[in-house]
Amino acid sequence: MAKLILSMDALILKEITLSKERTTIGRKPHNDIQIDNLAVSGEHAVIVTILQDSFLEDLGSTNGTVVNGQPVKKHFLQNNDIIELGKYKLKYVNEAPAAQAKAADFEKTMVLRPGAVKAAASAAAPAAAPAAATAGGAKSFGDTVVNHGTTTTPPAATAKPATQRNVALQLLSGPNAGKELDLTKPLTTLGKPGVQVAVITRRPQGFFITHVEGASFPVVNGKPIDAQAHALNDHDVIELAGVKMEFFFKT
């Protein structure tokens, strides 16, 4: 399990295990990691931990958040990263291979545009005419960010648990309405950096959406979710970064 090592002037103050999905950092007492120093804002930053991955987001702090000497707004944490908050440092320790392998993918989050996605979909799509006829056309989210995690073992052809079934998101609004994105990986990042970002994860218990970045939280079936992971059900309608989409299980 990932952890943070808090230090100041090379003196280790304490270790914090990232056992929660959302770990807040700031000067106010209600934070999970309280740093009582004027250089630290009341609500300075947050770390969202999903499976083996941790995302750091600055919460509009006065003095900013620095990772490895560079100011960041959001950052996919990698093993031995150093988060600097004034004179304090938080060393991120996570030796899980999966987290290290996916870090580069998150930082190079891809913007899918209609032309590029249509070409990729036509080159890679299997011959599944009945599904295509009912589910929509090529996979395109316009300028919506889409980023996948690592690959998983293909589901068995027999009766499948919910997490092994084929699932997808279909756009319900905007110029690309009707097009869909298959969720084939354990972690999919959606949204627009600097505006609103969320991740959908495939877990043993089902599929969950979690807020990662942005002042407002994603909306599911007309209601904003909170800071915790929100379970998704068949035909849930998600609103994220100005785009409305439907989560559904494919037959």
Side-chain angles (χ1 to χ4, degrees), residues 155 160-165 202-207 249:
K160 307 167 186 175
T163 53
Q164 292 185 9
R165 295 172 60 187
R202 180 190 298 255
R203 305 184 185 183
Q205 303 92 338
F207 292 84
F249 290 99

Side-chain angles (χ1 to χ4, degrees), residues 151-243:
T151 57
T152 55
T153 303
T158 56
K160 307 167 186 175
T163 53
Q164 292 185 9
R165 295 172 60 187
N166 294 327
V167 296
L169 291 173
Q170 185 174 41
L171 284 181
L172 302 178
S173 65
N176 296 301
K179 296 177 181 179
E180 69 178 54
L181 168 74
D182 289 328
L183 302 182
T184 59
K185 309 298 172 61
L187 185 148
T188 301
T189 304
L190 304 169
K192 294 179 181 179
V195 179
Q196 192 177 36
V197 177
V199 293
I200 293 179
T201 53
R202 180 190 298 255
R203 305 184 185 183
Q205 303 92 338
F207 292 84
F208 293 79
I209 183 170
T210 305
H211 175 75
V212 173
E213 176 187 6
S216 59
F217 287 76
V219 173
V220 177
N221 299 329
K223 297 181 179 180
I225 66 172
D226 57 22
Q228 302 303 314
H230 180 88
L232 289 172
N233 298 307
D234 195 20
H235 300 299
D236 275 353
V237 175
I238 303 166
E239 296 177 57
L240 176 70
V243 177

Side-chain angles (χ1 to χ4, degrees), residues 18-150:
L18 294 176
S19 57
K20 299 175 60 177
E21 288 187 348
R22 189 175 177 87
T23 302
T24 58
I25 305 169
R27 192 177 69 253
K28 293 182 179 179
H30 67 261
N31 287 283
D32 298 301
I33 303 175
Q34 183 192 11
I35 301 177
D36 191 9
N37 185 278
L38 291 178
V40 180
S41 295
E43 295 174 349
H44 196 104
V46 64
I47 294 175
V48 177
T49 300
I50 302 167
L51 301 178
Q52 298 295 328
D53 304 317
S54 295
F55 308 80
L56 170 70
E57 179 188 359
D58 182 87
L59 297 177
S61 64
T62 301
N63 295 315
T65 302
V66 174
V67 178
N68 302 330
Q70 299 295 323
V72 300
K73 291 297 183 183
K74 69 179 183 69
H75 179 74
F76 191 116
L77 289 166
Q78 303 177 56
N79 189 39
N80 293 324
D81 274 354
I82 303 296
I83 305 167
E84 299 177 46
L85 306 170
K87 295 182 179 181
Y88 290 83
K89 293 183 178 181
L90 285 163
K91 182 179 181 180
Y92 176 76
V93 179
N94 184 4
E95 298 178 354
Q100 298 178 47
K102 284 186 279 189
D105 291 337
F106 181 81
E107 292 303 326
K108 298 175 182 177
T109 301
M110 180 172 56
V111 177
L112 298 187
R113 301 184 184 278
V117 177
K118 287 181 180 178
S122 61
T134 57
K139 304 167 187 174
S140 173
F141 266 46
D143 289 335
T144 301
V145 171
V146 179
N147 178 45
H148 291 306
T150 56

